Amino acid sequence: QIGPMRSTTMPPDQASPWLLAPLLVLLGVLSFPVGGIESVDSGGSVCFNDCSGHGHCVDFSCECFLGYFGDDCRYSFADDGRDGPVIPILGAGHFNISSRKKFRTVTRSPRLMLVGFSSQSCHKCIMFERDYMEASEHLRDLSVPFGRSNAAKFPEEVQEAGVTDLPALVFYRKGKAPLLYVGSQDAHSVVSFARKLLMPTVSPLRSVDDAIEFLQHRAGHLGSEDQGVAAVHPPVGMPAEEVPWRTLQRPGDSISVLGFFRDPHGIEDEEYMDFIEAVEPLKDRNDVFVGVVSAEAVVVHFIRRDLIDRSPSVVLRAGSLSKSLNLDEFYGEGGSLSEWISKEALPLVGRLAPSNFAQYERTGMPMLMLFLDLSESHPPNPHGFIGGSSGKVSNDALLDEFRECAKEQRDRILHVYVDGNAHADQMVNLGLFGGAERLPGIAFNTKDGRQLPFSERLPINRDTLLQFCADFLSGRLHSRADAEATARLALTNPKLNRKNTAQRQPRKTSAPETTGVSEHFRSTDAEKYNLVTVNQSTFASIVLDDTKDVAVMFHRQGCEPCTHMAVYYKRAAGRLYDLGIRSLLVAHMDVTDSSPPGRMGLQLQSLPALVMFPAVSKEPPFHFYSGVTKVLELMKWLRAEASIPFDLPPLAHLRDDQKDEFKRQVAEREARRHRETKVGGGAVGSGAPVEAGAAQQHRQHPRGSDEL
């Protein structure tokens, strides 16, 4: 989830806030590949496409194997193009942890231990099992046990570790707090970080070439990415403490910290010991690597090259950014080296991305975020220009004003800019509504979840930004209403700087409805489908009711995929009610002009989003739906995620009077497909069984259903 927009760890690149957000696959009429044979069980049941070979046919419905989904089990997040068998969820690792007693035993061991949390109902979690399997082989060489746990069975342990999304990796060691891994979850990166935890925090560098190589962090690129873990894996049997620092895989945006000491065991011993103690917590960060130079000739070389003034000093290198610090003066001021590193490694105004979110978060400082339209921009040139415009104002003009504000507020507020097109849905978490059409947008990202957006009515320049920051720091801003009130007052000032007044586009309007194809939520849905409407004021009383499991679909105006999912979601709600299931409440929330309460910490990375809030726990990690948006698939997921058990009959999405017709249509379709296969015919798409009452619409629309 960016997971922007709160003070929690952002997931890694291929699993980012935003890249690990639930994938909602909106399907049209299925077109089955030729070559299959209709599946018939002992009761004469026939299933679509023989369940694609990835499931059992039971009463005209596929029961898919773990990791596969869809009404014919054709879909799987495990299809990543790599050869080899599909590894089921929780299938990789050295062993599974099935009880709390065993969990306490293995995680309180003096040795380093890795636990991978996942869930059988998390379809996307299967994407990582092959990497976990590869990692487990090399973790065994490092003597690091890799256990697997079903997150649903360990809610307290999951919360204690700070897990907000699945899958998640957590390192344990007796006497230390759980360490949530926030890097890329590919095998290479996971194993490298485990090796880093086993090594001494500080790597001794004995030559000028070593120091230069370390600062430029080329070590992580010694092996190409496609060579896998073995590319920089040390010889088997070599103790971890003796592994050279060059074997560590380093993220491209990693931070190098290098201490220089001419006499660490003599006159500089106090500063040296302070340095070693100060950088010890940095071992737990996957993006910071610490080295030390203690050879006088090497230190003198860098003094002569003006990299440092004198010894003892420390140099920080992050990308093109390079800074130095005289330690004797710094410690005299009582500063924290860890805080200095976290803060100084960031540019004055940087672009926020999944790979660097954790770096910003670790500073503990509030962030002022500028959302821009970067559709016509380019990577920053040597002068920092990115091109493009937002709201008919040059992006570079906006960033220039943003930098002027950052220069004066750097010690108190971080300044970042974000791709507003890519993260339009996440803007609602900060109180910025209307999507990409309302760019540029500005808001604070705070730890307490307050929504403090910069008023759209104000121009964006140094003066207005500094006033906005001053109001925030003074405590005058507590809500969106406060921000609008201060904006109204500012607009009455005839001397207001009007530079950079944006001209934003109108908001998207709701698309026309086509019953059974794209539908909006209406007040009549409550009676027709027993669907509950939730808003910000009723969220706590309805969703956080600990006597019920509550499912909520989040949507917004102008979101076309939302209207397609609404068709199936409403019918799933109606069928559950018809079946007498009262322990589960099915609801929806329009986030066009509001958002879930900030204190929930719920981040909506993309819309539509379907989230289950079980009766037993309304806390993170939240249960997002990932799969095919079909009525039966939704119903099965709701049953799997509900903490209060209920049963579903066969073909639960159909009424009794529809089931015989459905079975007849399925049998006819499969028989026709089988005949056409024999004569070399093409795939069958038309004539598929369709949902009652909407047959023609679904046959004609590319997002139709093949359910009766």
Side-chain angles (χ1 to χ4, degrees), residues 386-399:
I386 64 171
S389 63
S390 302
K392 297 186 178 180
V393 180
S394 162
N395 286 333
D396 292 310
L398 293 171
L399 285 172

Side-chain angles (χ1 to χ4, degrees), residues 484-500:
E484 287 298 327
T486 58
R488 285 195 299 271
L489 180 62
L491 289 167
T492 63
N493 184 356
K495 296 183 179 180
L496 177 68
N497 184 347
R498 302 281 175 172
K499 183 180 180 182
N500 294 341

Side-chain angles (χ1 to χ4, degrees), residues 220-432:
H221 305 285
L222 291 180
S224 62
E225 292 183 2
D226 58 358
Q227 287 179 295
V229 177
V232 294
H233 198 283
V236 174
M238 178 183 290
E241 289 75 6
E242 297 178 13
V243 175
W245 58 270
R246 289 185 178 85
T247 64
L248 298 179
Q249 167 72 9
R250 300 180 62 172
D253 56 356
S254 66
I255 302 167
S256 299
V257 178
L258 185 54
F260 291 87
F261 299 88
R262 299 176 72 167
D263 189 10
H265 304 298
I267 193 171
E268 296 175 346
D269 62 338
E270 185 175 344
E271 289 87 353
Y272 178 75
M273 295 307 298
D274 287 342
F275 173 78
I276 298 298
E277 181 180 352
V279 300
E280 183 61 30
L282 300 177
K283 171 183 280 196
D284 294 345
R285 290 182 54 171
N286 73 304
D287 60 334
V288 179
F289 296 80
V290 184
V292 64
V293 172
S294 57
E296 183 173 3
V298 178
V299 175
V300 170
H301 172 88
F302 286 102
I303 292 175
R304 290 174 176 172
R305 298 299 188 280
D306 293 327
L307 182 69
I308 57 176
D309 291 334
R310 59 181 182 273
S311 174
S313 292
V314 62
V315 171
L316 179 148
R317 173 68 68 88
S320 60
L321 182 70
S322 182
K323 297 191 176 183
S324 63
L325 178 71
N326 296 326
L327 289 178
D328 50 357
E329 295 177 354
F330 180 76
Y331 288 136
E333 297 176 358
S336 165
L337 185 59
S338 294
E339 293 177 1
W340 180 85
I341 291 170
S342 296
K343 178 182 172 183
E344 296 300 325
L346 302 173
L348 181 66
V349 174
R351 179 171 176 174
L352 189 65
S355 60
N356 64 11
F357 184 82
Q359 294 181 18
Y360 284 92
E361 179 192 25
R362 287 188 181 100
T363 66
M365 297 170 63
M367 278 188 282
L368 186 60
M369 308 179 73
L370 170 62
F371 291 84
L372 296 173
D373 178 357
L374 300 181
S375 59
E376 297 181 0
S377 67
H378 51 73
N381 64 19
H383 301 288
F385 299 144
I386 64 171
S389 63
S390 302
K392 297 186 178 180
V393 180
S394 162
N395 286 333
D396 292 310
L398 293 171
L399 285 172
D400 283 344
E401 300 295 323
F402 210 57
R403 292 187 186 97
E404 290 301 312
C405 178
K407 289 176 183 177
E408 298 196 30
Q409 299 291 350
R410 181 179 179 88
D411 293 336
R412 296 173 291 275
I413 298 171
L414 299 174
H415 290 64
V416 299
Y417 71 98
V418 187
D419 185 341
N421 290 303
H423 309 298
D425 288 334
Q426 294 132 307
M427 290 166 61
V428 301
N429 300 317
L430 299 179
L432 296 172

